Amino acid sequence: MSEFAQFADRLKRPIDVKLHDFQRNERLRHLIFASQLTPQLLEKLRRMADMIRQLSRTKEGNLQLKQLLAHRRAMLYFSQPSTRTFLSFMAACQILGITCNEVRDPKTSSEAKRESKMDSIRMFSSYFDVIIMRTPEPNFAECCAYLMNELESREMRSVPIINAGSGSDEHPTQALLDMYTLMRTFSTDYSRESKQSRFVELQSQTPELKPGIANKTYLFCGDMGRGRTVRSLAYTIGQYPNVRLLFVSPSHETLRLDEQTKKRLRALRADIHEFDSLDAQLEGQPILAQADAVYMTRIQREHNSTQDDSDFSKIDFSQYQLNPERVARMKIYAPILHPFPRDSVMGEIPTSVDMDSRAMYFRQARNGMWARAALLVHLFDAADELFMLHNGR
Ligand code: NCD
């Protein structure tokens, strides 16, 4: 897109070089790529999300949280459909007292009068203190972050950009909530006063289960080609030592994992394998029985070409469906995640799985609210105030 031409040189750089542009010392200035979510930062955000969650259990805690960022305003610019990301960001803002406003249909903004998207973003930055954006165009959030950096370097008004899904590229805040869910699942910390944590209970039945994200096998299933949540989560998990990533999808070029993603994951030293059925085996063992966590996704049919439509009619999609028989083959502790929405027609996770104790997807969506609130506290440099509130309880 011509509007992005001025950033072409910056866009071309390797990802590792780019990351520096979105940091300010130890802190994030913008969140554009999942690779910014390092294990250390995730640990910090996890603790903050837990504090927000605990504080919000009482009316007093809620009222204190509402003061924390009451002087801030957020713009939610979502020109692509969204339910969970939009609502959980809005709820996160409300928890922290951040006032928010939204543009969801650019036809109702001056884009309808041929205003450029970049002008719209710069205008939002005049009125708001953070821009949370989801757009169909890849690279758009990244370019907005470069624009904000340029303004900052000239000591002009500049605000943080949060990428809430950019085309088929990346979805880093989904990776954040997925990681928060996995970290909680594989942790001994979460005993509610009298109740033992689920992890400790499961560990007594399966002693091979160890805490943490490292040294585990993660299985991803569905649309590996177009699902931005899979890419973002895989880049994040890939930073931990000794992880095995199993990708299950039809072996169609639209649907299987792309070469570039595989290259980046190999560079992280992740052990990656691809399969075309959930019933496949690896080293003589069913892959489903080897997975420590299973991440399901839907087939993103809205992006199909006419050729895809015709090719897909010949694919047996039941191979990518997690029915109760397949769930029965999984480890007793392995959580089932899904970014949602799930496809109610294809049924990659039928509702018959919902009551299984491993079905984590509704909790995962709620975790998005706490994790996104923690991200906002971090971006606005209010972590110390949050610690004080939490410790003073
Ligand atoms: C996903 C997305 O938009 O990338 N949804 C979400 O944010 N939870 C996944 C999808 O649309 O399938």
Side-chain angles (χ1 to χ4, degrees), residues 81 84-85 134 171 174 228-229 298 300 302 339-341:
R84 276 148 292 270
T85 308
R134 164 175 290 197
H171 194 348
Q174 180 70 41
R228 54 192 174 190
T229 65
R298 71 187 173 94
Q300 306 209 351
E302 71 276 25
F340 265 44

Side-chain angles (χ1 to χ4, degrees), residues 15-182:
I15 180 109
D16 297 347
V17 179
K18 288 176 176 181
L19 296 185
H20 179 75
D21 288 5
F22 311 129
Q23 301 285 133
R24 295 294 177 271
N25 303 321
E26 292 296 288
R27 218 154 44 78
L28 298 182
R29 168 64 180 171
H30 310 285
L31 178 57
I32 305 299
F33 295 113
S35 309
Q36 291 176 265
L37 300 169
T38 59
Q40 299 87 306
L41 177 59
L42 283 167
E43 186 50 42
K44 212 156 138 184
L45 292 172
R46 173 179 84 116
R47 269 189 281 130
M48 286 158 63
D50 285 346
M51 286 179 196
I52 297 170
R53 186 180 204 126
Q54 280 163 20
L55 278 163
S56 73
R57 287 203 189 116
T58 65
K59 181 175 179 182
E60 194 200 354
N62 261 294
L63 293 173
Q64 289 172 328
L65 282 171
K66 268 198 178 308
Q67 289 295 311
L68 196 61
L69 292 171
H71 57 306
R72 300 295 195 173
R73 290 186 296 276
M75 166 47 91
L76 296 166
Y77 175 63
F78 275 61
S79 64
Q80 204 185 26
S82 174
T83 303
R84 276 148 292 270
T85 308
F86 179 83
L87 290 177
S88 64
F89 259 121
M90 184 166 259
C93 287
Q94 287 161 348
I95 290 168
L96 300 168
I98 302 175
T99 319
C100 34
N101 220 316
E102 62 185 78
V103 168
R104 300 200 68 171
D105 180 2
K107 284 197 219 75
T108 64
S109 79
S110 284
E111 277 182 45
K113 300 178 192 166
R114 305 203 335 194
E115 177 163 74
S116 77
K117 289 180 194 299
M118 281 296 178
D119 273 359
S120 297
I121 294 293
R122 191 159 168 197
M123 286 304 154
F124 298 154
S125 77
S126 312
Y127 307 133
F128 297 95
D129 302 308
V130 60
I131 300 172
I132 303 163
M133 56 187 290
R134 164 175 290 197
T135 60
E137 301 87 2
N139 303 132
F140 187 21
E142 186 181 343
C143 290
C144 292
Y146 295 141
L147 171 69
M148 291 299 142
N149 284 355
E150 286 217 10
L151 292 167
E152 187 185 15
S153 70
R154 290 173 172 75
E155 291 182 14
M156 293 159 103
R157 189 175 160 77
S158 157
V159 305
I161 302 288
I162 300 179
N163 175 3
S166 54
S168 55
D169 288 359
E170 280 236 27
H171 194 348
T173 67
Q174 180 70 41
L176 169 63
L177 74 96
D178 295 341
M179 288 304 289
Y180 179 52
T181 305
L182 289 169

Side-chain angles (χ1 to χ4, degrees), residues 113-372:
K113 300 178 192 166
R114 305 203 335 194
E115 177 163 74
S116 77
K117 289 180 194 299
M118 281 296 178
D119 273 359
S120 297
I121 294 293
R122 191 159 168 197
M123 286 304 154
F124 298 154
S125 77
S126 312
Y127 307 133
F128 297 95
D129 302 308
V130 60
I131 300 172
I132 303 163
M133 56 187 290
R134 164 175 290 197
T135 60
E137 301 87 2
N139 303 132
F140 187 21
E142 186 181 343
C143 290
C144 292
Y146 295 141
L147 171 69
M148 291 299 142
N149 284 355
E150 286 217 10
L151 292 167
E152 187 185 15
S153 70
R154 290 173 172 75
E155 291 182 14
M156 293 159 103
R157 189 175 160 77
S158 157
V159 305
I161 302 288
I162 300 179
N163 175 3
S166 54
S168 55
D169 288 359
E170 280 236 27
H171 194 348
T173 67
Q174 180 70 41
L176 169 63
L177 74 96
D178 295 341
M179 288 304 289
Y180 179 52
T181 305
L182 289 169
M183 289 165 103
R184 281 177 67 86
T185 307
F186 296 130
S187 167
T188 51
D189 290 356
Y190 299 103
S191 47
R192 270 280 193 96
E193 278 76 53
S194 56
K195 254 176 84 189
Q196 207 183 27
S197 91
R198 179 173 175 269
F199 181 84
V200 174
E201 224 172 273
L202 290 167
Q203 224 180 9
S204 65
Q205 296 168 52
T206 47
E208 80 272 15
L209 173 59
K210 300 277 179 291
I213 301 294
N215 309 310
K216 286 194 170 60
T217 298
Y218 298 88
L219 186 153
F220 298 85
C221 174
D223 196 335
M224 301 294 103
R226 298 176 293 188
R228 54 192 174 190
T229 65
V230 168
R231 251 191 302 282
S232 286
L233 181 58
Y235 292 147
T236 312
I237 295 179
Q239 300 179 81
Y240 290 77
N242 194 26
V243 289
R244 185 170 251 197
L245 306 176
L246 313 179
F247 297 99
V248 184
S249 72
S251 60
H252 183 282
E253 68 163 329
T254 305
L255 299 173
R256 64 175 168 245
L257 198 67
D258 59 286
E259 288 305 317
Q260 207 200 337
T261 302
K262 280 191 252 178
K263 217 170 120 192
R264 264 185 67 187
L265 291 173
R266 286 198 192 102
L268 290 170
R269 295 174 194 280
D271 178 24
I272 66 175
H273 300 266
E274 286 177 279
F275 305 91
D276 65 359
S277 165
L278 274 173
D279 299 327
Q281 302 213 338
L282 175 65
E283 295 160 357
Q285 292 292 324
I287 50 172
L288 267 176
Q290 296 189 39
D292 294 298
V294 172
Y295 194 89
M296 299 298 294
T297 65
R298 71 187 173 94
I299 303 294
Q300 306 209 351
R301 289 174 192 276
E302 71 276 25
H303 302 304
N304 282 6
S305 64
T306 334
Q307 184 63 45
D308 289 335
D309 277 334
S310 126
D311 293 354
F312 293 2
S313 64
K314 294 171 210 120
I315 293 175
D316 172 13
F317 283 103
S318 70
Q319 296 302 308
Y320 314 99
Q321 215 174 29
L322 202 62
N323 53 34
E325 295 74 52
R326 288 188 173 124
V327 173
R329 270 182 256 149
M330 289 170 45
K331 294 190 177 181
I332 55 161
Y333 60 78
I336 303 166
L337 285 85
H338 191 309
F340 265 44
R342 62 179 156 184
D343 184 333
S344 57
V345 180
M346 182 184 137
E348 66 275 12
I349 303 184
T351 50
S352 51
V353 175
D354 292 0
M355 295 305 154
D356 192 289
S357 62
R358 289 163 286 190
M360 212 57 75
Y361 28 93
F362 286 104
R363 265 183 268 177
Q364 177 189 358
R366 184 166 164 81
N367 282 342
M369 182 172 76
W370 310 120
R372 288 176 167 128

